[in-house]
Each structure stands twice: as C-alpha cells, then as structure tokens.
Amino acid sequence: MRNEIINLLKKEEKFSEKTIDELRDVEINDFAEMIKDLGQQPTEYIKREEIVKDLNTEQIGKELYIFKEVMSTNTVAKFLSANHAENGCVILSEKQSNAKGRLGKSWESPLGGIWLSIILKSQVDHSKLPMITLATGVAVVKALEKVGITNAEIKWPNDIMINGKKVSGILTEAITKFNTIENIIIGVGIDANFDVDILSKELQEGTTTLDTELGHRVDENEIIRLFLEEFEKIFILFNDGGFEQILKEWRKYSYSIGKIVEVREPFNKSYDGYVLGISREGALVVEKIDGTLEKVISGECIIKN
Ligand code: BTN
C-alpha cells in the first residue's frame, strides 16, 4: 500500500524531485502527515469550503481530505485509518486511476463523479457488515431525493439504479486484526456529471449519470454534503440497533424484491429464482424454481424481468 501512496505523492510537484527511496525512508507518521497535507491542497471542482460550510454532522466528514487524483480513495482511507485518522474521516478524489468495485471488479472513475470513502472506527460484528452496506445505500438514495431524483432504487445489495440503470455503487471493506473488525471503509461512487460515452463500451448501456437523468448538471459538493448528513443519521440508527427501521427503508427503495433473478454466488454457484424479500441479517431471500428458499449473503443478482 505504501507504494501506491508513494505514487500519489510523486505526481505532486512538491515531491517529484524526491526519489522513491527517499520517500520510502520517511517515517510512517511523517508520511501520513504528507498525505494529509496533500489532501488539504486546493482542488478543481470538489471544494472543501462548499462541503463544510453547511455540513450538519457531528463526526462524519469533520476530518476531510480531498485529492485531485488517487488510485483508490478506499486505499488511501485504509492507510489513514491505520495512521491516526478520526472516526468519520472522509477521503474524496476528483478522479481515481485504479478504483475498486465489488467482487474484484474495477470501477471507472472519471472527472465529474463523486468518489469518496468514509472511515468508521467501530468494532462492528462481522454479521452486521451487510447491514452497514444496506444502510449506506439508503443514505445515497435519500441524498439523491433531496436534489430532485425521486425514482432511485436499490438493487441488492448496493447498486443504486435509476430507470433500470446503475448510477452508484458501494464497496464496504473491513480491516481486521485477529479476526476482529477494527475499522470499516465504506467506498461510495456516484456517477454525477459526465457522459457515459467516456466509459468503456461494456458499461455504457447499463450506466446512467445524475446530469443525464435530471437534464442539468448537479452540484457535486451539495450532494456530498447531503450524503454525509444522511449517512450519519442512518449510522446513528445502526449503532442504536435500529436494524428493523433500516430494513424498512431499504425495502421501500428496493429494486430487487418481486423480480425474477439469476443469483451468482461466489464459487460459481448460480441459479434462477424469485426475490421474496430481505432477511433480518440483510440477506436476499430467493425462492428457487424448485420451491426451496435460499438466503444470499454475498454475490451478484442479475434481474431477468
Ligand atoms: C460496485 O462495484 O458497485 C462498488 C463500486 C465502489 C466504487 C467506489 S468509488 C470510491 C471508492 N474507492 C474505490 O476504489 N471504490 C469505491
């Protein structure tokens, strides 16, 4: 990970003269400070002042780093989570060059999108992680509602869809020590202001952007602020054990329930079925063609009708 972070520094004029070895020898705390400093330099269109001026949160986004370009905000978040970042610290980047999607896929992150990661320093039980992802999906939809997108839905587990096309994805990563979760990184990508034609061919058909849906550019900074506020609200609910309420909200926005799907679970297990609902643990409950029920905890679900 240090190499990736070094690459980030090497792009900066201030550091370009330094050799890789010089940077590699920097003591880890100083190195983290260099990154934090870089995350406070001026950026083009994601603007710290715009985000923080009305930000109504206690913790989420109070520590905020914004970059022009990183490989992946989740990686920077992982590094900072181990190096004195506070709970609720947010990492944003205007562009990502090697971003990660779910299931080992890559994630295209051109200029004009919202690419962010939140660091949660919570000792959450492994079994509760899916619930955090579902809660994040609800927070995205609620933030979008506030800027006039009234028809966003959540395709299990965490694809945000508008008119059947994906507009946002969430990647939750747990950092564990001796099998205990120490930190959680929640990565959120929202396709805000760009033309899908700039994405690779195979993504174009199934992807949409906020400006395409609304017919005008959206204010990324406002959406970031709204999302951080919604996220904090739902995370407080999560911490208070309000899982039923989170599930109720999720069901309200569900794109998957009532659909015929092809479920692709890890290790090539795949089958067709009808989505009955979502269980208390956040698993998708699918009735297979033979009438048996499956609870899907991880994997992918392709809508067939
Ligand atoms: C998905 O496959 O749907 C999840 C996509 C998650 C993308 C976001 S963008 C910000 C953060 N940094 C990453 O490298 N990935 C996540």
Side-chain angles (χ1 to χ4, degrees):
M1 192 191 313
R2 191 154 162 139
N3 281 353
E4 177 166 334
I5 309 283
I6 286 176
N7 281 336
L8 171 64
L9 289 174
K10 292 293 289 176
K11 287 202 171 158
E12 287 302 304
E13 244 172 64
K14 202 167 134 197
F15 300 110
S16 56
E17 294 298 304
K18 294 201 194 300
T19 64
I20 298 280
D21 284 343
E22 257 180 292
L23 286 170
R24 205 165 270 140
D25 286 344
V26 174
E27 207 261 315
I28 197 77
N29 283 335
D30 295 339
F31 195 63
E33 284 311 312
M34 286 161 94
I35 301 297
K36 290 180 179 176
D37 186 51
L38 190 58
Q40 293 181 79
Q41 303 302 316
T43 35
E44 296 285 316
Y45 69 95
I46 306 283
K47 295 282 180 203
R48 169 180 304 277
E49 327 70 82
E50 293 295 311
I51 298 168
V52 301
K53 78 170 187 254
D54 296 321
L55 181 65
N56 185 14
T57 58
E58 290 291 323
Q59 289 194 305
I60 306 296
K62 289 293 166 185
E63 188 179 355
L64 179 64
Y65 301 106
I66 310 173
F67 298 90
K68 285 192 191 136
E69 182 177 337
V70 296
M71 289 192 189
S72 156
T73 54
N74 268 31
T75 310
V76 177
K78 252 188 237 175
F79 174 76
L80 290 181
S81 72
N83 291 288
H84 314 294
E86 300 284 333
N87 181 44
C89 171
V90 171
I91 322 297
L92 274 152
S93 186
E94 295 184 324
K95 203 174 164 193
Q96 296 179 109
S97 54
N98 196 9
K100 299 180 278 187
R102 284 182 69 239
L103 309 168
K105 294 182 188 163
S106 59
W107 179 262
E108 295 185 24
S109 322
L111 280 175
I114 295 171
W115 321 121
L116 68 85
S117 301
I118 304 176
I119 300 174
L120 295 178
K121 309 208 106 180
S122 309
Q123 261 122 37
V124 170
D125 193 80
H126 280 275
S127 64
K128 298 284 184 310
L129 270 185
M131 189 66 73
I132 292 195
T133 305
L134 298 184
T136 308
V138 172
V140 172
V141 173
K142 288 190 156 207
L144 297 186
E145 272 180 352
K146 291 196 163 157
V147 292
I149 302 264
T150 52
N151 56 346
E153 297 171 292
I154 312 174
K155 179 159 100 60
W156 183 89
N158 50 19
D159 289 349
I160 312 301
M161 315 289 290
I162 305 176
N163 295 322
K165 294 186 175 191
K166 182 162 170 171
V167 74
S168 165
I170 298 159
L171 175 68
T172 309
E173 297 188 88
I175 299 166
T176 50
K177 204 173 190 180
F178 307 119
N179 216 20
T180 306
I181 295 182
E182 288 225 307
N183 296 318
I184 301 165
I185 309 296
I186 302 183
V188 180
I190 305 176
D191 299 335
N193 290 316
F194 59 83
D195 198 325
V196 293
D197 291 356
I198 63 173
L199 300 176
S200 16
K201 278 265 168 302
E202 65 272 20
L203 290 179
Q204 290 176 10
E205 206 188 326
T207 306
T208 190
T209 60
L210 298 179
D211 66 343
T212 311
E213 295 300 323
L214 285 170
H216 58 81
R217 286 182 69 80
V218 291
D219 179 345
E220 293 94 347
N221 297 302
E222 184 190 13
I223 295 175
I224 293 165
R225 176 180 63 77
L226 292 168
F227 165 69
L228 298 180
E229 289 174 353
E230 290 301 333
F231 181 84
E232 181 163 285
K233 276 192 234 158
I234 206 153
F235 189 60
I236 290 172
L237 192 60
F238 171 88
N239 279 333
D240 291 346
F243 306 139
E244 274 310 321
Q245 182 62 28
I246 295 172
L247 289 173
K248 201 169 143 199
E249 300 263 22
W250 192 91
R251 288 187 190 108
K252 192 167 91 189
Y253 297 123
S254 168
Y255 176 76
S256 310
I257 297 173
K259 300 235 163 73
I260 308 274
V261 294
E262 180 193 338
V263 176
R264 291 191 194 155
E265 289 193 67
F267 309 111
N268 296 329
K269 189 176 162 198
S270 87
Y271 49 86
D272 288 354
Y274 174 79
V275 180
L276 289 174
I278 186 132
S279 74
R280 302 174 127 250
E281 319 83 59
L284 196 71
V285 184
V286 177
E287 183 180 349
K288 289 164 75 174
I289 308 294
D290 63 8
T292 55
L293 298 188
E294 287 275 349
K295 276 188 180 177
V296 192
I297 292 162
S298 66
E300 200 173 6
C301 153
I302 292 133
I303 309 280
K304 296 188 102 177
N305 67 340

